[in-house]
Amino acid sequence: MLMKKILVIEDDHRLSESVLKALEKEGYGCEPAYDGHMALKSFQQTAYQLILLDINLPKMNGMDLCKKFREIDAEVPILIITAFGDIDSKMEAFELGADDYLVKPFHLRELLAKVKVFLKRAEQPATTQPLYQLQDIKLDPNKKIAIREGKEINLTPKEYGLLEYLLKNRNRIVSKDELAMNLWDANYGVTHNTIEVYINFLRNKIDKEFEKKLILTKPGFGYYLNDNRDEL
């Protein structure tokens, strides 16, 4: 089995060394990057199975890097590791395409547990999945994109997950608590307000430019998709 490669982007050399040693002890191949330019160059030259990304970096910050990484590769998992624990920073990171978020200081055991989860997912054999379709929107699970009226719509991982979950449960109302439980890490502490913000992100991409609105709200209950049936 090929050794999994992890890019560790952290400008604190002591922390970077500790993380690298812990990962290498588990048998992973790791490369450090200490600034944004170094990280981007490494990412462009090597295929990694996981990215560990700090936000407060010299030369190019982690948020800008996350966006550039997603433009290059929509699939590689990105785990943010940062001292910024405020909700706005977390939401910005997820909106830019991050898959998970770990606030410093953290225990190396927690980091290793998250790494193992992401790499285990990457080992799953690729299978071609059927398209999801409702009215004039299609969701392609293989390319992780949405298509509406022939227009391709790029979604962040979290937006894609929301739309996919709503499509899979198109015949019923989905509550905010259910979305939080199924789409967010239990340690993230997602609030109802966070769910509302992400639903708005998704609506801005798949509903705003179209006359017919697909994501509907049942006040006090949750969300459902408009399939032209009688209102739920």
Side-chain angles (χ1 to χ4, degrees), residues 136-196:
D136 59 354
I137 192 165
K138 296 178 182 179
L139 190 68
D140 188 336
N142 307 295
K143 297 181 180 179
K144 305 298 183 186
I145 59 171
I147 302 170
R148 187 166 187 192
E149 293 184 2
K151 178 181 179 182
E152 183 175 307
I153 303 170
N154 290 316
L155 303 173
T156 67
K158 193 60 66 179
E159 292 164 352
Y160 176 87
L162 273 171
L163 182 56
E164 182 181 52
Y165 195 85
L166 290 172
L167 281 167
K168 286 181 177 179
N169 295 276
R170 66 182 68 185
N171 296 320
R172 63 185 184 86
I173 296 170
V174 178
S175 70
K176 295 174 185 176
D177 288 336
E178 181 179 344
L179 290 172
M181 182 175 64
N182 285 280
L183 298 176
W184 269 266
D185 188 299
N187 295 319
Y188 179 51
V190 65
T191 64
H192 283 190
N193 182 64
T194 304
I195 302 294
E196 292 168 3

Side-chain angles (χ1 to χ4, degrees), residues 112-134:
L112 290 174
K114 289 180 178 290
V115 167
K116 288 178 181 178
V117 168
F118 280 120
L119 295 181
K120 185 176 181 180
R121 290 177 187 170
E123 291 176 353
Q124 300 300 318
T127 57
T128 301
Q129 302 178 57
L131 297 178
Y132 296 106
Q133 183 166 1
L134 180 70

